[in-house]
Amino acid sequence: QVNLVESGGRSVQAGDSLRLSCAASIGTCHVLSVGWFRQPPGKEREFVAAISGVGCRSFYADSVKGRFVVFRENDKTMAYLQMTNLQVVDTADYSCAAHCRALPLRPDEASEYDFWGQGTPVTVSS
């Protein structure tokens, strides 16, 4: 069992930066890869970014490339999503998810992840 807790979401203005945190208790997993997903109001959940459990390979949705960075602490129990130049379209509930392997076969697929946090809301105003 892996427990995930997100934090850092809040209301910001367009152009602002924000860092989301994901704290993981890894349980029996020897390695953990982490994905970030978001669900805009009234829309389907979508992939944002992911980072591997080994080697720190990262993956991004086209919509956030160049603006968001996913990284993790050395002990691998904390993962972060650094968001810059936030736009109104980035408004969503952001969740982190964990896969109990070095990397999911499809890092951008929600179904690949075994554990999910409760989410943290981000609201971007113009």
Side-chain angles (χ1 to χ4, degrees):
Q1 184 70 25
V2 175
N3 292 315
L4 302 169
V5 179
E6 304 94 337
S7 62
R10 61 183 176 88
S11 295
V12 297
Q13 296 291 313
D16 284 353
S17 298
L18 195 62
R19 178 179 294 182
L20 304 182
S21 301
C22 175
S25 61
I26 63 174
T28 57
C29 290
H30 296 288
V31 64
L32 206 63
S33 49
V34 174
W36 284 95
F37 292 78
R38 66 187 183 186
Q39 185 164 18
K43 296 184 179 181
E44 297 292 313
R45 181 168 56 192
E46 61 187 31
F47 170 74
V48 177
I51 187 165
S52 62
V54 176
C56 290
R57 291 176 61 192
S58 57
F59 306 84
Y60 298 94
D62 288 342
S63 60
V64 305
K65 278 181 183 175
R67 299 189 299 124
F68 291 12
V69 175
V70 58
F71 63 100
R72 61 196 311 165
E73 296 283 272
N74 289 335
D75 66 2
K76 296 182 172 57
T77 60
M78 291 296 298
Y80 302 91
L81 184 67
Q82 178 68 46
M83 306 184 292
T84 60
N85 191 21
L86 282 161
Q87 303 300 312
V88 174
V89 294
D90 295 317
T91 295
D93 189 66
Y94 285 73
S95 297
C96 64
H99 177 80
C100 207
R101 294 288 189 275
L103 188 67
L105 196 61
R106 289 287 308 274
D108 60 340
E109 285 288 338
S111 60
E112 294 275 350
Y113 294 86
D114 308 302
F115 307 100
W116 290 81
Q118 292 297 310
T120 186
V122 174
T123 302
V124 185
S125 302
S126 59

